[in-house]
Amino acid sequence: MIDTAQLPDATGHFGVYGGMFVPETLMPNFLELTAEYERAKVDPAFQAELSYYLRDYCGRPTPLYFAERLTEELGGAKIFLKREDLLHTGAHKINNALGQILLARRLGKKRIIAETGAGQHGVATATVCARFGFECVIYMGEVDMERQSLNVARMKFLGAKVVPVTAGQRTLKEAVNEALRDWVTNPRSTHYILGSALGAHPFPMIVRDFHRVIGEEAREQILEKESRLPDLLIACVGGGSNAIGLFWPFLRDESVKMLGIEAGGHGIIDGQHAARFQGGKLGVLQGTKTWLLADDDGQIQLTHSVSAGLDYAAVGPEHAFLREQGRIDYDYATDDEALDGFAKLSRWEGIIPALESAHAIAGVIKRAPQMRADELVIVNLSGRGDKDVAQAANFLLKD
Ligand SMILES: *Cc1c(COP(=O)(O)O)cnc(C)c1O
């Protein structure tokens, strides 16, 4: 049995997945980042500063909340919500943005670039750039800028330059391409704060490590509340950062099952969803080898999800590996199921979730009723729904 918690290996691989598929001109940046991260990881001063800002600036630890009404309504397992929605800027993304800005400072960089889909990573990045005084450029697909105009305004207030990306589908994949193009042009001055557990090594490892605090806290909190480990963990999976952050500290606990929920969009029809493990295949996209949605010629397919943050053609390589190992199961929720989760959590718990997180809620709505009342589930509530209110209203408040 492979100890999955020891990966990636020195070449950035999780089994056959991952790796460093990067342009030659960027290789020095990836090697420099890897080396500096290895030093920072074992530097008590770095870890102390990270902990300080996570607590006093971002609001950690986030509560592990017993969702009593959701539990009663579903009539099965006891459900807890890990409240990442209560974090500064409204989603888990700030955990990683904060960690990486501290790394960028160690590297002596002056300028930050990032891609964003739903806008949450862009907001988190713009926030830490404001706080630490960095120049900030955010690349965002034109379609996403329309869907998430509130977050575009937030980034601008925070002093970031938001660059609309007009190529292709005008969403996240094209935004990543533009950010990489910028980095190739400005490799010395600039650090690229990648926003999910994706891309070339060392990003999947770094992003995961900065989100592990989610699972570490949840583990302590459930032991304190229930004196035992949970039976099931559920999280939505875009690139996979909030999910791996919750799951990772439990990987060695064999009794703890894990379920990732991908975006099923309009259903599993080519071009109508973003569920890479349903109808996807092995390939290389934007620096990493993983499961992705491509046609027979290897061309990346169009994707669709009601939530901009889950709408990406590739999944983080560690998820591909953990699925292959049989350690994590993956399912999907359609747009309609996610909207139903959004409505139910709002009505039953007084918590309006992000549409991404609503996919995880859809997952627990399906699973919890099949479980016993003495079983425990933790759902990662990755973000709050303010950014999605206008969009959800189009579907849910029509009459
Ligand atoms: C970005 C985002 C996601 C999806 O990204 P992961 O890397 O898969 O976590 C999920 N939920 C929220 C609230 C987000 O902002």
Side-chain angles (χ1 to χ4, degrees), residues 82-128:
K82 182 61 175 159
R83 297 292 308 273
E84 295 296 293
D85 62 314
L86 294 177
L87 222 45
H88 182 41
T89 70
H92 68 290
K93 298 255 169 39
I94 192 97
N95 299 323
N96 168 55
L98 176 64
Q100 286 202 46
I101 200 88
L102 296 179
L103 275 180
R105 203 182 55 184
R106 283 178 73 108
L107 287 165
K109 305 288 179 180
K110 302 277 178 267
R111 180 175 175 268
I112 296 295
I113 56 172
E115 84 297 340
T116 197
Q120 286 301 118
H121 177 58
V123 169
T125 301
T127 297
V128 296

Side-chain angles (χ1 to χ4, degrees), residues 220-288:
E220 241 175 66
Q221 290 165 321
I222 196 82
L223 285 173
E224 191 182 317
K225 284 175 197 291
E226 297 287 330
S227 306
R228 67 182 194 85
L229 291 173
D231 298 283
L232 178 63
L233 307 174
I234 302 180
C236 65
V237 181
S241 69
N242 87 89
I244 202 71
L246 175 67
F247 295 168
W248 198 90
F250 295 93
L251 279 179
R252 286 170 172 157
D253 302 307
E254 275 173 44
S255 67
V256 181
K257 294 197 171 67
M258 302 174 188
L259 176 64
I261 307 287
E262 295 183 285
H266 297 312
I268 308 305
I269 305 155
D270 282 359
Q272 297 292 311
H273 69 97
R276 291 65 44 106
F277 291 134
Q278 317 282 333
K281 54 174 68 115
L282 188 59
V284 173
L285 180 63
Q286 294 175 332
T288 192

Side-chain angles (χ1 to χ4, degrees), residues 90-93 118-121 195-198 207 211 236-244 276 308-310 319 354-357 381-384 387-388:
H92 68 290
K93 298 255 169 39
Q120 286 301 118
H121 177 58
S196 189
L198 269 170
V207 177
H211 284 302
C236 65
V237 181
S241 69
N242 87 89
I244 202 71
R276 291 65 44 106
L310 302 183
H319 286 279
L355 280 172
E356 292 83 11
S357 322
L381 198 64
S382 53
R384 66 175 186 232
K387 70 186 173 60
D388 298 317

